[in-house]
C-alpha cells in the first residue's frame, strides 16, 4: 500500500504523499472494521450475509417479476410475481399477488396467492386469500383470511 | 357468567362423551367429548374438550380441538391451545399465537350471514 506513485517522486516526503498514504491506510482499516462487524452479526442471525437494510417497494410502485433476497422485503406498493426472502412485511397500503416463500411474514395490507412461511402474522386490517402453509400463526382480530391453510 | 344463569345452557364435563344433535339457546361449554351437530348462541370448547361434527354458533371460542365443520356468524377466537381441522365459515376471526388451523376457510358475507 506504500507503492503509490506520486507525481512529486523527486521529493518523497512531501505533505501530499504523506496525506495519500494516510488516506489509504485509514480506508483499509475502515474496511476491516466493517467486515468484522458483519461477521459478528452473522453469528447473531445464524444466517450468512444477511443484509441489514430492507428492500422497499414504496407506495405507488408496481413491480412485476421475481424478488429474491436473503434479508427483509417491505412492500407498500404492488407486487405481482414471486417473492423469496428471509422476512416479508406487507404494509397497510401494500399488495402482493403471487407466490411468497419466507421465514417470517407480516401482513398489514393484502396478499393473494400461494404463501409458504414459518411465522405468519396477520394484522387487523389485512386481507389474505390463497393457499397458506405455516408453522406458527397469529391472526389479529379483524384480519380477513380465506382459502386453504396447512400447518407444516 | 354462565354459572349465574344456567337456563338454556349445556355443559359437558371432562370425561363425558356425548353423541347426537344439540340445539342450545344460550351457551354450550364443552370440556368433554362431543360428536354430532351442535347449534348454540355461544360455544366454548375448553382446553380438554374435543368436538367432531358440525358446529354452528354466533360466538365461538376454541381452546380445545374441533374437527370437521365450523360456522361462527359473529366472532371466532382460536386460542393458543386451540386446534381446528376442517372447514370454517366466519364473520370475524382471531387466532392467538400457537393456535392451529388446517383446512378451508371462508368469510361469511354480511348480506347473507344471519346476524
Amino acid at each position: 500500500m506504500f507503492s503509490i506513485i506520486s507525481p512529486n517522486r523527486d521529493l518523497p516526503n512531501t505533505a501530499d504523499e504523506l496525506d495519500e498514504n494516510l488516506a489509504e491506510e485509514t480506508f483499509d482499516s475502515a474496511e476491516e472494521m466493517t467486515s468484522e462487524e458483519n461477521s459478528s452479526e452473522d453469528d447473531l442471525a445464524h444466517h450468512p450475509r444477511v443484509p441489514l437494510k430492507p428492500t422497499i417497494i414504496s407506495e405507488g410502485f408496481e413491480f412485476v417479476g421475481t424478488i429474491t433476497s436473503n434479508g427483509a422485503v417491505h412492500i407498500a406498493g404492488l407486487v405481482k410475481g414471486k417473492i423469496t426472502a428471509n422476512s416479508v412485511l406487507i404494509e397497510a397500503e401494500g399488495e402482493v399477488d403471487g407466490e411468497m416463500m419466507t421465514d417470517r411474514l407480516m401482513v398489514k395490507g393484502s396478499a393473494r396467492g400461494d404463501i409458504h412461511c414459518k411465522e405468519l402474522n396477520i394484522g387487523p386490517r389485512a386481507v389474505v386469500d390463497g393457499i397458506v402453509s405455516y408453522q406458527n400463526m397469529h391472526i389479529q382480530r379483524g384480519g380477513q383470511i380465506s382459502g386453504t391453510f396447512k400447518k407444516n | 357468567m354462565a354459572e349465574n344463569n344456567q337456563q338454556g345452557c349445556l355443559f359437558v364435563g371432562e370425561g363425558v362423551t356425548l353423541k347426537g344433535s344439540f340445539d342450545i339457546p344460550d351457551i354450550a361449554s364443552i370440556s368433554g367429548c362431543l360428536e354430532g351437530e351442535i347449534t348454540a348462541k355461544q360455544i366454548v370448547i375448553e382446553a380438554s374438550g374435543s368436538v367432531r361434527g358440525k358446529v354452528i354458533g354466533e360466538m365461538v371460542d376454541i381452546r380445545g380441538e374441533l374437527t370437521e365443520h365450523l360456522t361462527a356468524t359473529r366472532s371466532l377466537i382460536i386460542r393458543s391451545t386451540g386446534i381446528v381441522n376442517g372447514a370454517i365459515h366466519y364473520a370475524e376471526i382471531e387466532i392467538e399465537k400457537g393456535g392451529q388451523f388446517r383446512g378451508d376457510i371462508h368469510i361469511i358475507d354480511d348480506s347473507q350471514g344471519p346476524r
Side-chain angles (χ1 to χ4, degrees):
Chain A
M1 65 198 240
F2 291 98
S3 62
I4 292 171
I5 299 161
S6 165
N8 308 322
R9 213 187 303 184
D10 300 339
L11 307 161
N13 283 327
T14 57
D16 271 357
E17 190 171 347
L18 274 173
D19 276 356
E20 270 182 79
N21 285 343
L22 271 173
E24 189 151 312
E25 214 165 2
T26 43
F27 180 68
D28 273 4
S29 57
E31 214 169 32
E32 272 167 37
M33 287 249 307
T34 46
S35 65
E36 265 172 40
E37 258 175 40
N38 277 341
S39 65
S40 66
E41 264 148 14
D42 285 349
D43 292 342
L44 282 173
H46 300 293
H47 203 290
R49 292 176 168 276
V50 174
L52 298 171
K53 286 181 181 168
T55 302
I56 299 169
I57 304 290
S58 328
E59 206 176 340
F61 190 97
E62 190 180 321
F63 181 92
V64 182
T66 305
I67 296 175
T68 309
S69 167
N70 280 334
V73 179
H74 292 190
I75 296 155
L78 169 66
V79 176
K80 286 181 185 170
K82 189 176 171 181
I83 302 170
T84 309
N86 187 39
S87 83
V88 176
L89 165 67
I90 302 173
E91 307 270 13
E93 316 80 39
E95 207 176 310
V96 174
D97 192 344
E99 197 180 326
M100 265 185 282
M101 308 249 295
T102 175
D103 281 357
R104 275 174 295 136
L105 174 62
M106 168 88 214
V107 185
K108 293 177 180 175
S110 89
R112 229 165 283 274
D114 285 11
I115 296 167
H116 303 270
C117 65
K118 286 180 182 160
E119 293 280 331
L120 173 63
N121 198 334
I122 294 176
R125 283 176 196 169
V127 180
V128 175
D129 183 7
I131 298 165
V132 180
S133 71
Y134 67 95
Q135 277 178 13
N136 258 308
M137 76 167 152
H138 180 202
I139 296 172
Q140 290 170 49
R141 175 179 283 261
Q144 291 184 21
I145 54 172
S146 52
T148 304
F149 279 67
K150 297 172 197 164
K151 190 178 189 299
N152 290 333
Chain B
M1 46 169 184
E3 280 73 12
N4 304 329
N5 175 21
Q6 300 192 348
Q7 230 171 17
C9 299
L10 171 74
F11 295 91
V12 180
E14 212 176 323
V16 178
T17 304
L18 272 187
K19 284 179 189 174
S21 176
F22 309 91
D23 202 341
I24 300 134
D26 205 2
I27 302 164
S29 170
I30 297 148
S31 303
C33 191
L34 195 141
E35 243 174 77
E37 225 176 280
I38 170 168
T39 307
K41 194 173 172 195
Q42 197 179 331
I43 298 167
V44 183
I45 300 175
E46 304 288 355
S48 58
S50 78
V51 175
R52 176 179 286 273
K54 200 173 175 187
V55 173
I56 301 167
E58 271 184 34
M59 285 173 280
V60 182
D61 189 331
I62 297 165
R63 295 157 202 262
E65 211 175 322
L66 191 149
T67 312
E68 235 172 88
H69 189 98
L70 166 64
T71 301
T73 54
R74 195 178 289 172
S75 70
L76 167 63
I77 301 179
I78 301 176
R79 305 280 181 189
S80 56
T81 52
I83 301 167
V84 177
N85 295 309
I88 294 179
H89 292 258
Y90 74 96
E92 189 184 72
I93 196 167
E94 179 179 347
I95 301 180
E96 286 183 357
K97 209 169 186 167
Q100 298 176 24
F101 166 59
R102 295 176 191 88
D104 293 344
I105 189 157
H106 311 271
I107 302 169
I108 302 168
D109 284 343
D110 281 357
S111 50
Q112 55 173 257
R115 284 257 152 184

